[in-house]
Amino acid sequence: MPVEQQGDTRIWRRRDRKAAWQHFGVTLAVAALVVFCAKIISDQTTWEFVGSAPMQGADLAMRMWPPQLGYIAELWGPVVDTIHIATLGTILGVMIASPLAFLAANNTTPSKVFVRPVALALLVTSRSVNSIIWALMLVVIFGPGMLSGIIAIALRSVGFCGKLLYEAIEEIDAHTVEAVSSTGASRLQVLTFGVIPQIAPAFAGISVYRWDINIREATVLGLVGAGGIGMALQGAIDTLAWSRVSVIFLVILATVVLSEWVSAKARAAVI
Amino acid sequence: MLTLKGLHKRYPDGFVALPSVDLEVPTGQLVALIGPSGAGKSTLIRCINRLVEPTSGSVKLGEQELTTLSRGELRRARRRIAMIFQDYALVDRLTVMENVLSGRLGYVSFWQSWMRRFPQADVDRAFELLETVGLKGLHDRRADALSGGQRQRVGIARALMQQPELLLVDEPTASLDPRTARQVMQLLGDLCKAHNLTAIINIHDVPLARAYTDRIVGLQAGNVVFDGKPQELTDAVLPEIYGGEDWNKDAESDQAAAPAEDDGVAA
Amino acid sequence: MSTAPPTTPPTAGAPRRWRRPPHIANPRTRWALYIGASLYLLWALSSVEVDVGRLFEGMTRARTFFAAALSPDFFTRWSDIRAGILESLTMTVVATVAGIALSVPLGLGAARNLASRPVYLVCRAILAGTRAFHEIILAIMLVAMFGFGPFAGVVTLVVSTIGFLGKLIAEDIEAIQWNAVEAVESAGASWLQRVVYAVLPQIMPRFIGLSLYRLDINFRESAVIGIVGAGGIGATLTTAFDRYEFEAVSAILILIITTVFIAEYIAGAIRRKVL
């Protein structure tokens, strides 16, 4: 904190003059950027539609109410499919992510120059492409259905789990690893005795956490044809059957809440 | 016999931790390495088993030169050198037994260690060592369920599991309360005598070093500034190692208290 | 684990066996879990229908697809792609800033140690509501209300930003060191002063990190909600998919990945500077 001398008084400020100007400049630049962006969005928006949004919303709500509860009976299959997609996709994703994480972590990678960047690039690629977009591509290749959904979920989970996992690996206690390697243990033994026990809880926690996210993701994969309850949603929206849409929303909500509960319990049990 | 000749370590950032260290430790001797923080004590013992790669110089254990060994050879050489750490460096989520048996990793195949099928002789020895260090019956506890003193005992058992010729001990007592610290030093001393082990102990606590070791080496800025018997480490010498003058008083009172408590522990 | 019976017989002299104690001590629970998990896996796997004929057909498509992926075409649809990316970026900026501005008060209100009981419950309920539905579903509803275009997209992203940041801010606040707040309080600080002097400084580093992370997420999400008509690069992407212009798809994906990569790099740099 800078202190300025002015005559006899010492003036204390949070920032000195230069820092204050810099701070002001950055704030101004960010504000200008936001206003500029908002202007672009605003120009592309038909404000009459936005103005009528409350009416549209009310209209939509009226059509959704009352929900056609009898429709629930037809939704069991899709819900179970959704859960299967999430679970199998998570398992597959974690199976691919684990070796990649070891290749990407600073302290376990066999080569910082060659292997690590490749592993990191694969993880970023997987992470930057949303599972819906993966599904769009996979539906082209494998056709509509659960298989595309499972692989889409897996491909997206690789980046997520891989990143968290390699960060966990980089945070392990180095002395423990030193201790194991000072007994004359081989690389693989150091990994299994020194590294894996340290990351095991993180590994389980990350998997369960991702599974929870994947349940949500799997509910919408059907919108592009990759199986699960999203297919039913797409059908209902296409036929403007809003009283069915509301039922599907309720079912999705219940599934998500349930999965959150399960994952919280499972994580508590693991740690 | 451990021989260091012209041991030099320069870190990549340019910091010279060890300018050039010469040291000879005859078999069976218990050497305390004392000196202020940052004097290079940790670097020195890590250069011996090459957890830190020395920049130049020679480290000889018996007739074997350690600094030039290949990866595989180093692995085999490390089996003869055990290490004990300040923060115990146990694998927290493994059981006491698994931690102790990890001292045999250099001797068993990967699959044996993966399946936890260690030779029965190793298991027998592990049980014996656990009794020796006073942890009988705790073999299935998880390491993170133990107290600090107990954890350090596991660390000692793991080190002895290697049946080493040389013991490198890095600040074994820094995380322990004074009473437990004395017990641990007593245990280390007894075990070294019993197995005729050569040992180098980094230690902050000068009274402990005086009480339990055969020889004291003082390190300052990577240079050996004192080398002699514990009795020769007089209060006049201490400022040479640690710098400053005013800290002697504390050391004296500490020292006065030490023998009294020792008797209590031994009894 | 400490209560488990010793795995070795107490008789001295005889060779003492040692087996690693199992993670779940009770054998009945253990086996029930193993069997249950295997059965579930079998059930799940058997429900996956694999149409081999369709797979073969897919392989040829996959080949054209990968060939296209390796020869991205940035130029044919460049004006569409450029407009889409710019729209996505503008949506991201506006939505992130608005989302942060709204999530801070909600996060403060949803912190149990800071807010009164009714405020806490209301804020938690709002946060739970915003997180209940996937962005796509939100976008579908909002497009139905606001019409096609980036406005619906921005609102979608704002809502999900609030849900994400608000919850994490609240959790961070609940984990702060309380003695600093007490110290300020004992100096006679008002509620707002306590927040500004003792709470915010403690959560600031992580808050900045999370905000940057959310910026990144919002950009990626903006590529998705366009699929249901909420503007941005997603709209361009779906169009390209519908026309089977895989070269353009590949170009768009490469641009998205590159942008995310750059964003992550910049975020890392900012984080290092700020923290």
Side-chain angles (χ1 to χ4, degrees):
Chain A
M1 302 273 172
V3 177
E4 255 175 66
Q5 192 85 34
Q6 264 185 20
D8 286 342
T9 39
R10 293 202 294 167
I11 298 175
W12 176 85
R13 289 262 182 281
R14 185 171 181 192
R15 300 188 174 85
D16 62 26
R17 194 153 296 166
K18 189 170 156 236
W21 278 108
Q22 268 176 1
H23 187 77
F24 178 70
V26 171
T27 313
L28 195 70
V30 171
L33 178 70
V34 174
V35 171
F36 173 70
C37 291
K39 175 84 171 58
I40 295 182
I41 302 283
S42 158
D43 288 346
Q44 304 221 2
T45 307
T46 323
W47 285 102
E48 293 89 81
F49 286 162
V50 175
S52 68
M55 241 171 59
Q56 293 288 338
D59 186 43
L60 213 57
M62 299 249 292
R63 282 197 245 177
M64 286 172 114
W65 195 262
Q68 192 187 326
L69 287 175
Y71 183 53
I72 285 189
E74 287 176 48
L75 289 177
W76 286 122
V79 167
V80 169
D81 278 357
T82 304
I83 296 171
H84 285 343
I85 290 173
T87 311
L88 294 176
T90 310
I91 294 174
L92 187 61
V94 168
M95 272 162 49
I96 305 171
S98 317
L100 272 179
F102 280 102
L103 298 181
N106 241 327
N107 44 357
T108 54
T109 182
S111 150
K112 274 186 201 177
V113 187
F114 300 106
V115 181
R116 182 162 195 263
V118 173
L120 284 179
L122 285 175
L123 292 180
V124 172
T125 307
S126 149
R127 211 163 61 243
S128 345
V129 180
N130 197 293
S131 49
I132 296 240
I133 297 177
W134 282 120
L136 268 175
M137 293 191 268
L138 290 163
V139 167
V140 173
I141 297 176
F142 295 113
M146 279 175 75
L147 185 61
S148 304
I150 292 168
I151 299 177
I153 290 283
L155 287 178
R156 173 65 180 82
S157 305
V158 167
F160 180 91
C161 299
K163 178 172 193 234
L164 292 180
L165 211 52
Y166 93 71
E167 284 170 355
I169 296 174
E170 285 180 354
E171 275 170 22
I172 59 171
D173 178 31
H175 276 166
T176 305
V177 178
E178 272 192 343
V180 177
S181 38
S182 73
T183 63
S186 69
R187 256 190 114 92
L188 226 50
Q189 285 175 326
V190 172
L191 218 57
T192 51
F193 264 76
V195 180
I196 289 178
Q198 290 198 56
I199 58 159
F203 176 83
I206 291 165
S207 308
V208 174
Y209 180 36
R210 185 66 216 183
W211 174 79
D212 184 15
I213 297 175
N214 281 345
I215 291 269
R216 271 161 192 276
E217 301 264 302
T219 58
V220 296
L221 285 182
L223 291 171
V224 296
I229 197 166
M231 303 262 259
L233 180 62
Q234 182 72 61
I237 290 174
D238 282 351
T239 54
L240 300 177
W242 291 100
S243 58
R244 287 188 168 191
V245 170
S246 52
V247 176
I248 295 174
F249 282 177
L250 288 176
V251 170
I252 289 180
L253 202 59
T255 315
V256 169
V257 169
L258 193 74
S259 80
E260 225 164 84
W261 181 79
V262 169
S263 87
K265 283 276 162 210
R267 258 187 292 173
V270 170
I271 303 160
Chain B
M1 172 84 117
L2 173 77
T3 320
L4 312 183
K5 270 215 184 75
L7 189 64
H8 172 68
K9 174 62 191 178
R10 185 173 180 278
Y11 282 100
D13 61 2
F15 174 68
V16 178
L18 305 171
S20 174
V21 174
D22 297 302
L23 193 66
E24 254 182 38
V25 185
T27 306
Q29 194 176 54
L30 189 59
V31 181
L33 206 55
I34 64 170
S37 304
K41 305 190 299 284
S42 269
T43 306
L44 178 64
I45 68 165
R46 280 177 167 72
C47 277
I48 295 172
N49 65 354
R50 284 172 60 190
L51 284 176
V52 170
E53 279 298 334
T55 315
S56 64
S58 137
V59 177
K60 264 183 159 172
L61 180 59
E63 288 308 303
Q64 191 177 29
E65 172 63 50
L66 299 180
T67 53
T68 54
L69 296 180
S70 70
R71 258 191 97 90
E73 289 168 338
L74 175 64
R75 224 161 79 60
R76 280 187 290 282
R78 276 182 178 167
R79 305 192 301 205
R80 302 158 58 198
I81 310 169
M83 195 158 176
I84 294 170
F85 295 79
Q86 169 184 352
D87 51 5
Y88 327 122
L90 301 182
V91 186
D92 274 345
R93 295 181 53 83
L94 295 184
T95 60
V96 167
M97 190 53 141
E98 285 171 295
N99 270 292
V100 173
L101 284 173
S102 73
R104 298 304 288 178
L105 284 178
Y107 292 92
V108 299
S109 75
F110 172 71
W111 282 112
Q112 278 177 301
S113 62
W114 174 254
M115 301 300 296
R116 308 292 197 267
R117 289 297 158 85
F118 286 82
Q120 184 59 41
D122 289 352
V123 176
D124 287 340
R125 191 171 151 70
F127 275 117
E128 271 167 43
L129 278 171
L130 281 176
E131 266 174 53
T132 316
V133 299
L135 295 176
K136 190 178 178 188
L138 295 183
H139 51 273
D140 277 346
R141 277 290 175 86
R142 248 171 61 166
D144 51 8
L146 300 180
S147 71
Q150 287 174 324
R151 286 156 72 84
Q152 194 54 291
R153 285 159 194 273
V154 176
I156 293 171
R158 171 176 65 188
L160 291 179
M161 206 52 209
Q162 282 178 244
Q163 298 185 291
E165 296 161 37
L166 173 66
L167 201 54
L168 304 174
V169 191
D170 193 13
E171 300 285 0
T173 60
S175 316
L176 301 174
D177 66 75
R179 189 184 146 81
T180 317
R182 291 203 171 78
Q183 289 172 344
V184 163
M185 284 302 288
Q186 181 80 49
L187 179 65
L188 274 174
D190 291 349
L191 288 169
C192 286
K193 290 279 172 305
H195 296 89
N196 196 28
L197 270 174
T198 314
I200 301 183
I201 304 185
N202 280 351
I203 190 160
H204 265 302
D205 193 321
V206 176
L208 277 182
R210 276 180 179 148
Y212 294 104
T213 60
D214 305 328
R215 174 182 168 192
I216 292 182
V217 172
L219 215 58
Q220 199 201 30
N223 294 307
V224 176
V225 293
F226 174 85
D227 187 350
K229 293 205 157 51
Q231 311 78 281
E232 294 165 19
L233 182 71
T234 56
D235 291 346
V237 186
L238 281 169
E240 272 179 46
I241 303 172
Y242 284 92
E245 281 139 24
D246 49 340
W247 72 287
N248 279 347
K249 285 194 193 86
D250 292 342
E252 267 162 27
S253 58
D254 217 316
Q255 202 189 5
E261 254 186 69
D262 271 354
D263 297 341
V265 174
Chain C
M1 221 168 254
S2 56
T3 53
T7 48
T8 50
T11 48
R16 293 190 282 185
R17 298 249 146 236
W18 170 80
R19 297 288 281 288
R20 173 164 47 164
H23 286 294
I24 301 156
N26 182 345
R28 206 171 291 171
T29 336
R30 186 165 72 238
W31 283 105
L33 260 175
Y34 289 164
I35 294 170
S38 320
L39 285 178
Y40 172 78
L41 263 184
L42 276 179
W43 180 36
L45 283 171
S46 67
S47 72
V48 181
E49 287 162 14
V50 180
D51 179 350
V52 181
R54 179 66 185 75
L55 271 186
F56 269 112
E57 194 188 320
M59 284 305 122
T60 51
R61 289 207 202 185
R63 207 167 304 135
T64 47
F65 197 85
F66 281 118
L70 292 177
S71 56
D73 176 8
F74 291 91
F75 305 108
T76 319
R77 300 264 164 218
W78 176 242
S79 61
D80 290 345
I81 296 178
R82 200 182 71 109
I85 289 273
L86 283 180
E87 191 167 89
S88 267
L89 285 174
T90 49
M91 281 163 65
T92 307
V93 170
V94 174
T96 309
V97 170
I100 292 173
L102 290 171
S103 63
V104 169
L106 275 170
L108 287 172
R112 196 175 308 157
N113 49 1
L114 222 56
S116 64
R117 191 83 188 153
V119 174
Y120 166 77
L121 288 176
V122 169
C123 290
R124 278 280 162 172
I126 294 176
L127 288 182
T130 56
R131 284 161 40 79
F133 286 108
H134 194 276
E135 286 86 349
I136 295 262
I137 295 181
L138 264 178
I140 291 175
M141 303 308 294
L142 290 167
V143 166
M145 282 170 67
F146 294 110
F148 289 103
F151 188 83
V154 168
V155 178
T156 308
L157 293 180
V158 168
V159 172
S160 49
T161 303
I162 293 172
F164 175 88
L165 277 182
K167 178 163 181 271
L168 291 174
I169 291 174
E171 280 170 5
D172 276 4
I173 293 177
E174 284 173 359
I176 60 169
Q177 284 198 337
W178 194 246
N179 51 15
V181 181
E182 280 176 342
V184 177
E185 194 175 2
S186 67
S190 68
W191 186 86
L192 210 58
Q193 285 174 322
R194 264 179 271 160
V195 168
V196 171
Y197 267 78
V199 178
L200 291 186
Q202 289 196 53
I203 62 161
M204 216 42 172
R206 222 175 95 84
F207 173 66
I208 290 171
L210 286 172
S211 301
L212 290 169
Y213 180 43
R214 188 63 216 188
L215 193 73
D216 185 7
I217 298 179
N218 278 346
F219 178 72
R220 278 181 272 162
E221 290 297 331
S222 78
V224 172
I225 53 179
I227 295 175
V228 295
I233 187 72
T236 325
L237 187 67
T238 339
T239 316
F241 259 112
D242 289 345
R243 292 178 182 156
Y244 294 102
E245 291 173 348
F246 294 134
E247 285 87 358
V249 169
S250 162
I252 294 171
L253 289 181
I254 289 173
L255 281 176
I256 294 177
I257 294 170
T258 323
T259 314
V260 171
F261 209 88
I262 295 171
E264 238 169 63
Y265 182 79
I266 295 174
I270 293 179
R271 220 170 296 166
R272 267 192 298 279
K273 203 171 150 71
V274 174
L275 304 190

